[in-house]
Amino acid sequence: MLNDAHGLDHVYIACGYTDLRKGIDSLAAIVMTDFHLDPFA
């Protein structure tokens, strides 16, 4: 199934291992920290 990417501003691709044992919320927090993203901007 394909998702519609219409309306996306940026797409970030990071290489490396992903550990989903912590859950998707923890993974999102790690990505925002590593890329210095502000979720309230």
Side-chain angles (χ1 to χ4, degrees):
M1 174 184 265
L2 298 175
N3 290 328
D4 184 13
H6 180 75
L8 293 179
D9 292 330
H10 297 90
V11 175
Y12 296 90
I13 298 175
C15 299
Y17 296 103
T18 302
D19 184 3
L20 291 176
R21 291 179 291 179
K22 295 181 179 180
I24 194 68
D25 291 333
S26 295
L27 178 62
I30 292 169
V31 170
M32 288 191 301
T33 301
D34 288 351
F35 283 103
H36 307 288
L37 301 175
D38 184 7
F40 302 108

